[in-house]
Every structure is written in structure tokens, then in C-alpha cells.
């Protein structure tokens, strides 16, 4: 037996774990619903928020500093208030707050020899995570053989871009959909269809855009995207390395495309030696299949796929024929030991809970939430439209969809105890990324009650 196994089998470890898990459970279960902040914490909390704004060079979007404890989708803040968290760090905390499986994974990680994993020295769980992601990706035979771990969605996307350019050298151009978001690096700022996010930054890449699918004109937008793609390919023959696709536009406003829309584009790209990259940093595990490309039946086109957020560690998946011929990829950190262990535990629970499948838990809760939002729209004409999105990515448009209306509504929801976030522009929407491992109908009911209360106070 390895000495490390002897440590794990030491009865003191099991005992300590049991004690910690019991203590967490006893205290976490006191957090059961929305509550306001407490007077005795008011001054200290306000001071902490001011110091946070100073330290980070600007106030955070929400006046949010967690107390460090929660219970499922409920999170306690430093002022003693409790919020219903339906945005979970923009899709990160897939089991909500203070989940015992996260503590368990973290204790195991804490007993490991190092806090961080990296490309020079890997532990067995880094291997397990890579194999797990490759296995999930190959469920329907997508040609994805390799997996590189990284610490952010942006880095996963940078790695994907590097592999694509390297493989299609000397091509230098990228095709993206209108309204897409790829991350905050210098290269990804060019892919992201938000001029404000490139303000004052030099141009690093040549990117051309095609219209995204729009449900108001399915045929027109599908045809329009194809025509624009053909035009770009004809104008810059041999210059495109890849097309970059978000299968549900996330930051862009929760617009899912369709199989027909994507398949046509992917086919033309492959015919023109242009690689297809699916950015699944936000969609991963939120639709009817672990990967959105599986949900839309696009496995054959998945040349490169990136994911992150809910996995606690990010990754780039790619096929063997794209294996770089030089040392263009590496990082000191692939992920924190605890992140990798926790990510594996999240995947276990999502699978155990039956999140996937056409009638799986993700889609079932989407239907439930969507019906409730639909009913709210009918009861509150002009104040809410929607729902939009797919699976455990769901949004609505408040009122006239102006930036002002959406911000006011988001703030109101926060004050009433529900956390969501903005998405899109013209219209501006409010989106939710409920934690897929633990969200129940009851939580959705409470979210909708809060939305209705906020609507009743709006003009
Ligand atoms: C689709 C998509 N790609 C990439 C990213 C960037 O990920 P990160 O913020 O971890 O760098 C995000 C983040 O929101 C995203 O939604």
C-alpha cells in the first residue's frame, strides 16, 4: 500500500471528516430562506464593502461579501442577510453553497501534498479529470482525444485558439457570431462582440462576424448567416483558421441556436478547412447533455471544445490530428488540487441526479421555470417577456428591455433576495443560472414569487 493510502485509511481522517461534515450540516441547515441584513452587522459590513471597492479599484456589481456559509441556493452575506442565489458566480457553484460534497473534496485535497497542480507535476485526480472530460465528450463519438486543464475560461479559449492557428498556419482570421462573448484576454476581446470591452486595447486578431440565429426570423437568420459566411470565405480565401461558436449565446442574451443553423455553418467550414470551436464555458452541463454540442447533435463538427465554470477547473478538448508540433502550450497552474477534486464531485452529482437526457432533470426544470415565467408574463403584460434560454440557462426581458429598466429590476430583485444577472443588449435581459445539482421546484417557486413582487412595484 502507498503511504498516501495509509494516510487516507487512517481512522482519524474518517473521524475528522465526519465531525467537520456534521458541524457544517448543523450550521448550514439554519439558512433556509431569504432574510434581511441585521442591524448589528450594518456598519462593519458597509466598511468592508468600502474597503473592497478601494482594494479592487471599483465597487463590485452587487454589495456582496459572503459570510462563508450557505445552504444549497441560499447564501448568507456578511451583514447576516440571506439571498436566493440563482446566478452562482455566473454559473460556477453548480451545487450551490456549502454542499457537503464540496467540503469532502476539499478535505481530501487538503491532505494531498500540494495546493496546486501544474503541467510539470500532476496528481492522479488531474488525470481522472482529463479522462472524465474526454469520456463525456466522446459519448457520441466526437473526435476529441485530448484535454488540457487551465484555470480560467479565457485561458482555455486562448489554448483552443492557439491550437487552431497552429494547425491551420498561416491562416490568421476567425469567424464569430454577432453578440458572442469569449473572455477577457487581449485576443478574446477581439472575438467578443462588445466594443466597450475592447476600449483602449490594440487590435490583436482579424475577426469577421456572421448574424446569430434569432427566433423572430429563424429562416432569415439561418440563411443570412450562411450567406455572410460564404461571403467572408470568398473574400479571404484560405485565411480562416476557425469559426467560434457559442451554442447558446450567454452574455449575448440567452439565445439558443438550432441544429439546422449550426450544422449548415459547420459543414461549410469543414468543406473549407476551417476548424469548428465550440465555447462551452457557460453551457457545459446545463442542457440535455453534458455538452451543448451533444444537445444540438453536432458531435461530428467538434474539432475543439472549451469548458469551465461549473467544473471548477477549465479545459480545452481537441482531436489527435490537432496535436501541436511545437511547445506552444503550457501553464504553471492547471488548477488547484481542491478545484479538480471538487469538479469531479460536481460531475458525479450531476450524473447521479439525472440532470441529463431529453427528459432529464435539467430540461424538466427548464420547462417548470419557463411555464412559471410565461404565466408571470401573462399576468403582467408589458412588464415581462420571455422566457428565453435553454435548460438551466433561463432569462426574461423586463419591461421595455432598456439597460436602465433591466438594471433597476436586477437591483430590485437583489434587494428582495433573488440574485440573477444581466445578459444581452437591445433587449437587455435578466438571466438565471440556477445551480443544476440542487435547484428544486420549490426554489423556482420562491424565485418567481420574488420576481412577481418586483414586477408589482415597477411601472
Ligand atoms: C461563453 C464564455 N466563454 C468564455 C468565458 C470566460 O471565462 P472566464 O471568465 O473563466 O475567463 C465566459 C465567461 O463568462 C463565457 O461565458
Amino acid at each position: 500500500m502507498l503511504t498516501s493510502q495509509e494516510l487516507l485509511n487512517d481512522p482519524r481522517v474518517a473521524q475528522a471528516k465526519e465531525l467537520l461534515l456534521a458541524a457544517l450540516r448543523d450550521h448550514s441547515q439554519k439558512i433556509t430562506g431569504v432574510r434581511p441584513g441585521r442591524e448589528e452587522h450594518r456598519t462593519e459590513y458597509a466598511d468592508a464593502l468600502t474597503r473592497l471597492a478601494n482594494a479592487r479599484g471599483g465597487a463590485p456589481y452587487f454589495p456582496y461579501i459572503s459570510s462563508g456559509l450557505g445552504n444549497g441556493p441560499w447564501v448568507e452575506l456578511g451583514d447576516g442577510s440571506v439571498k436566493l442565489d440563482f446566478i452562482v458566480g455566473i454559473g460556477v457553484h453548480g451545487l450551490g453553497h456549502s454542499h457537503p460534497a464540496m467540503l469532502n473534496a476539499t478535505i481530501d485535497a487538503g491532505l494531498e501534498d500540494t495546493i496546486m497542480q501544474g503541467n510539470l507535476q500532476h496528481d492522479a485526480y488531474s488525470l481522472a479529470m482529463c479522462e472524465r472530460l474526454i469520456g463525456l465528450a466522446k459519448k457520441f463519438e466526437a473526435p476529441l482525444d485530448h484535454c488540457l486543464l487551465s484555470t480560467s475560461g479565457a485561458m482555455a479559449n486562448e489554448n483552443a485558439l492557439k491550437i487552431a492557428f497552429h494547425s491551420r498556419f498561416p491562416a490568421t482570421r476567425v469567424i464569430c457570431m454577432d453578440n458572442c462573448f469569449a473572455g477577457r484576454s487581449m485576443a478574446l476581446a477581439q472575438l467578443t462582440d462588445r466594443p466597450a470591452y475592447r476600449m483602449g486595447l490594440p487590435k490583436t486578431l482579424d475577426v469577421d462576424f456572421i448574424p446569430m440565429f434569432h427566433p423572430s426570423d429563424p429562416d432569415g437568420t439561418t440563411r443570412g448567416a450562411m450567406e455572410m459566411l460564404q461571403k467572408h470565405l470568398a473574400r479571404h480565401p484560405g485565411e480562416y483558421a476557425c469559426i467560434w461558436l457559442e451554442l447558446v449565446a450567454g452574455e449575448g442574451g440567452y439565445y439558443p441556436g438550432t441544429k439546422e443553423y449550426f450544422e449548415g455553418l459547420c459543414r461549410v467550414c469543414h468543406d473549407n478547412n476551417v476548424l469548428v470551436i465550440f465555447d462551452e464555458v457557460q453551457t457545459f452541463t446545463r442542457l440535455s447533455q453534458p455538452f451543448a454540442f451533444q444537445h444540438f447533435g453536432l458531435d461530428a463538427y467538434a474539432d475543439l471544445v472549451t469548458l469551465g465554470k461549473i467544473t471548477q477547473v477549465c479545459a480545452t478538448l481537441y482531436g489527435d490530428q490537432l496535436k501541436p508540433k511545437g511547445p506552444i502550450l503550457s501553464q504553471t497552474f492547471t488548477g488547484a488540487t481542491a478545484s479538480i477534486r471538487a469538479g469531479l464531485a460536481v460531475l458525479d452529482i450531476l450524473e447521479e441526479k439525472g440532470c441529463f437526457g431529453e427528459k432529464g432533470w435539467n430540461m424538466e426544470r427548464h420547462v417548470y421555470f419557463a411555464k412559471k415565467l410565461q404565466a408571470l408574463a401573462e399576468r403582467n403584460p408589458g412588464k415581462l417577456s420571455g422566457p428565453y434560454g435553454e435548460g438551466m440557462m433561463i432569462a426574461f426581458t423586463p419591461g421595455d428591455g432598456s439597460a436602465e429598466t433591466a438594471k433597476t429590476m436586477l437591483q430590485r430583485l437583489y434587494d428582495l433576495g433573488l440574485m440573477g444577472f444581466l445578459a444581452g443588449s437591445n433587449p437587455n435581459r435578466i438571466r438565471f443560472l440556477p445551480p443544476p445539482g440542487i435547484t428544486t421546484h420549490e426554489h423556482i417557486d420562491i424565485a418567481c414569487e420574488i420576481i412577481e413582487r418586483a414586477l408589482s412595484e415597477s411601472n
Side-chain angles (χ1 to χ4, degrees), residues 115-170:
I115 301 290
M116 298 300 292
Q117 300 302 315
N119 273 311
L120 195 64
Q121 294 170 283
H122 305 265
D123 70 350
Y125 292 87
S126 304
L127 166 63
M129 178 56 99
C130 289
E131 287 186 339
R132 182 73 171 272
L133 293 174
I134 293 167
L136 288 173
K138 281 171 122 38
K139 187 172 172 189
F140 306 115
E141 298 185 352
L144 296 163
D145 309 298
H146 305 300
C147 172
L148 271 175
L149 299 181
S150 51
T151 49
S152 73
M155 197 64 221
N157 284 350
E158 284 278 331
N159 286 337
L161 272 183
K162 276 181 163 180
I163 295 171
F165 282 127
H166 177 85
S167 147
R168 292 300 187 262
F169 183 82

Side-chain angles (χ1 to χ4, degrees), residues 90 151-157 181-185 188 244 246 248-251 279-283 306 308-309 314 431:
I90 318 195
T151 49
S152 73
M155 197 64 221
N157 284 350
F181 179 87
R184 300 289 192 157
S185 73
L188 300 170
W244 188 273
E246 253 183 292
V248 180
E251 307 298 304
D279 179 340
E280 300 236 15
V281 171
Q282 193 160 153
T283 48
T306 60
K309 290 185 184 282
C314 302
R431 65 171 142 159

